[in-house]
Amino acid sequence: MRELTGQQVVDAIRAETEKTLEALGGYVPTLAIVRVGENVPQLSYEKGAKKRMQNFGLDVKTFVFPEDVTPEVFFQRFREINADSAIDGVLLLKPLPEQLDVRRAEQMIDPEKDLDGISPVNIARVFAGEEAGFAPCTAEAVMETLRTYEVPVHGKRAVVVGRSLVVGRTLAMLLLRDNATVTICHTQTKDLKEECKKAEILAVAAGRAKLIDRDYVSAGCVILDVGINADENGNLCGDVNPEGLSDLAAALTPVPRGIGAVTTSVLAKHLVQAAARRLL
Ligand code: NAD
């Protein structure tokens, strides 16, 4: 079984963004990270995103609001950030505290700067099968992984476990756009095992530690594990239990060092794309 590590995908994305940056002739795109409060997973994602932007030679400005910020203050500032011509892309860290209507923020974000595809305009573009706009970074990270490792998608039977808008549902649309025959599974799916066994490409984004084991996998399957969970010992693990898969599956993305590592590179790629679409 091949291990599809994220690093190779990151390198491929970096090479691609470097070309676009060259075409931008020294212009350094700037990402605005907007965070409300001190939520630990958000802080950790922010740290990773900043490091990646630095690594790709991109700038970051962080806008932090107190947990109890009023809607008036937050949305006025959020509008200004979106309108600022010195900012090429905006990443809004979610969830937002209760007093802030997340839908209002999603509708307010400039679709051309909406790097994680949360605006209704970008969602519609993804679901219409269009290439314009931005898809959520994690779903696209899966597609980038398939592309880098030259896994054929066209005509393949793909099964996605998970139907969240941010990962599973969007990923299903991206696989469909590349002409896979796609099945989406979720908590109400009657026989998950049988559905998964039909997969030539199996993408799992359920958020359930080790949900998928060898009983769910057919010989030669390529498995993409999006899950980030803690196992019984508190260690990081995916939605797939890799034990017993080595003589069965063709390939698997590890957790950690798999899809998670690619997500922030897609964010960087989107930032450079946003600048290029505006300036070239
Ligand atoms: P979510 O909770 O919003 O959605 C989970 C989906 O999985 C739901 O649609 C649900 O129906 C389905 N599901 C849950 N348990 C199931 C089961 N037993 N059988 C069948 N379907 C089941 O989660 P999400 O935001 O889509 O994230 C999914 C996972 O991906 C989480 O582990 C999350 O941490 C991870 N994630 C990773 C990245 C990354 O960068 N790698 C980014 C976002 C999310």
Side-chain angles (χ1 to χ4, degrees):
M1 182 180 72
R2 212 167 158 207
E3 192 182 49
L4 309 181
T5 54
Q7 190 56 50
Q8 202 170 317
V9 189
V10 172
D11 293 343
I13 296 173
R14 192 196 284 109
E16 194 187 329
T17 59
E18 272 168 7
K19 276 192 211 151
T20 314
L21 281 173
E22 260 174 43
L24 283 167
Y27 178 81
V28 179
T30 299
L31 167 69
I33 297 181
V34 179
R35 170 165 52 84
V36 183
E38 305 294 322
N39 173 303
V40 173
Q42 288 183 11
L43 284 167
S44 143
Y45 187 71
E46 181 182 316
K47 195 173 153 205
K50 277 183 174 167
K51 210 170 133 193
R52 184 72 74 199
M53 296 307 135
Q54 212 174 31
N55 189 250
F56 273 56
L58 307 169
D59 270 353
V60 180
K61 274 188 188 157
T62 311
F63 298 87
V64 182
F65 298 86
E67 182 78 28
D68 61 355
V69 64
T70 63
E72 292 70 29
V73 169
F74 176 78
F75 285 112
Q76 190 192 327
R77 195 69 190 103
F78 192 59
R79 187 175 281 119
E80 287 165 5
I81 293 166
N82 275 277
D84 187 341
S85 60
I87 285 168
D88 299 282
V90 178
L91 176 70
L92 174 66
L93 296 176
K94 295 196 288 184
L96 294 175
E98 242 174 36
Q99 76 276 15
L100 302 178
D101 179 0
V102 70
R103 280 179 192 275
R104 190 171 164 197
E106 288 163 354
Q107 281 161 6
M108 191 180 277
I109 195 166
D110 178 350
E112 309 313 318
K113 297 185 180 182
D114 169 28
L115 307 185
D116 204 20
I118 63 170
S119 77
V121 171
N122 281 322
I123 293 169
R125 284 168 170 165
V126 169
F127 278 71
E130 289 175 16
E131 298 262 353
F134 296 109
C137 296
T138 302
E140 200 171 309
V142 173
M143 301 308 293
E144 289 282 0
T145 302
L146 290 167
R147 224 167 283 146
T148 301
Y149 286 100
E150 297 179 344
V151 176
V153 173
H154 192 108
K156 297 291 176 190
R157 282 189 306 277
V159 174
V160 179
V161 183
R163 59 173 163 180
S164 76
L165 188 56
V166 70
V167 193
R169 203 176 283 245
T170 297
L171 176 56
M173 289 304 123
L174 298 180
L175 286 161
L176 182 63
R177 192 171 73 187
D178 281 2
N179 298 309
T181 301
V182 185
T183 301
I184 306 176
C185 298
H186 44 79
T187 48
Q188 307 307 308
T189 296
K190 283 229 171 77
D191 194 341
L192 184 63
K193 216 176 263 185
E194 276 315 303
E195 296 299 339
C196 289
K197 273 183 158 173
K198 292 176 195 158
E200 294 169 285
I201 296 171
L202 177 60
V204 193
R208 298 281 177 274
K210 301 180 185 173
L211 172 70
I212 302 297
D213 62 22
R214 61 174 286 132
D215 293 345
Y216 292 71
V217 174
S218 288
C221 182
V222 174
I223 311 171
L224 302 121
D225 189 352
V226 182
I228 301 176
N229 316 291
D231 68 10
E232 56 282 6
N233 304 315
N235 296 321
L236 204 62
C237 76
D239 288 356
V240 178
N241 182 357
E243 270 171 45
L245 282 178
S246 58
D247 59 342
L248 185 62
L252 171 68
T253 60
V255 178
R257 298 182 300 108
I259 302 296
V262 180
T263 300
T264 50
S265 301
V266 173
L267 184 71
K269 175 183 158 175
H270 284 177
L271 178 63
V272 175
Q273 272 180 340
R277 283 175 189 172
R278 190 161 62 90
L279 299 171
L280 292 180

